[in-house]
Amino acid sequence: MENKRELFQVLTRRFGLLNKNCCSIGAIDISAIQSHIIYEIEKQHTPSMQQIADTLAMDITTFSRQIQTLVKMELVKKTPAAEDKRVSILSLTVQGKFVATTIDESMNTYLDDVFSQMNEFERETVIRSLELLNKAMSKSTVCCSTMC
């Protein structure tokens, strides 16, 4: 059997997850975590800071620093919730939506190219395998955030 960790190490590198910046849109450099935050804000309907932090399994302090950076970059807007001013609701600015769309299109182009290297059976097998892996990972009692 192949070394499972090695497979994930190589996959991580090929996806560019170790790069300081995952993508550049014009003069804007976006880190991998910022890309994930933007994706989740776009995906969820009027999410709170805590909801996105929980989704990404980030502690709120680290998450808050990332949000401050995205606000300064004018990609994210933070608004107090109407029902509880202590809760901040996140949304993308017009520029943030453009960045989200650009990253999405870029990732889809990359994945389309990767999957075009496979036949239909292989594509379906990989997608099904990834779905199974995600499901199994969600059931695991061992959290990877404590591992090296």
Side-chain angles (χ1 to χ4, degrees):
M1 177 177 228
E2 291 191 45
N3 181 332
K4 293 181 288 283
R5 182 171 181 196
E6 178 68 14
L7 286 170
F8 281 96
Q9 294 290 109
V10 171
L11 185 67
T12 298
R13 284 193 300 270
R14 288 200 173 129
F15 241 118
L17 297 177
L18 300 178
N19 299 352
K20 181 178 179 220
N21 295 314
C22 77
C23 42
S24 295
I25 293 103
I28 302 171
D29 289 329
I30 305 292
S31 70
I33 189 58
Q34 290 168 340
S35 174
H36 283 270
I37 291 168
I38 290 168
Y39 175 84
E40 289 300 331
I41 293 171
E42 178 80 355
K43 183 177 150 192
Q44 297 184 31
H45 179 67
T46 61
S48 69
M49 283 191 49
Q50 190 65 56
Q51 285 173 305
I52 301 292
D54 290 348
T55 298
L56 297 174
M58 289 181 73
D59 71 273
I60 197 68
T61 305
T62 303
F63 183 75
S64 292
R65 282 193 297 270
Q66 290 293 334
I67 290 299
Q68 287 303 97
T69 301
L70 290 168
V71 168
K72 285 179 190 168
M73 294 168 77
E74 299 181 353
L75 301 177
V76 171
K77 189 170 131 187
K78 217 167 97 171
T79 310
E83 63 280 354
D84 185 348
K85 301 289 184 214
R86 296 170 298 171
V87 175
S88 293
I89 301 300
L90 301 174
S91 59
L92 297 180
T93 63
V94 171
Q95 189 171 350
K97 288 179 183 178
F98 173 76
V99 166
T101 300
T102 304
I103 293 170
D104 195 47
E105 288 171 356
S106 176
M107 285 303 301
N108 286 333
T109 299
Y110 172 64
L111 292 171
D112 286 346
D113 183 59
V114 168
F115 281 101
S116 75
Q117 312 300 316
M118 303 174 208
N119 65 40
E120 187 176 345
F121 174 76
E122 291 168 332
R123 282 191 296 272
E124 289 173 4
T125 301
V126 169
I127 290 169
R128 179 72 181 127
S129 297
L130 289 170
E131 289 169 345
L132 287 169
L133 180 63
N134 272 326
K135 187 175 179 182
M137 289 173 80
S138 73
K139 293 178 182 177
S140 175
T141 58
V142 180
C143 179
C144 63
S145 63
T146 60
M147 295 180 194
C148 300

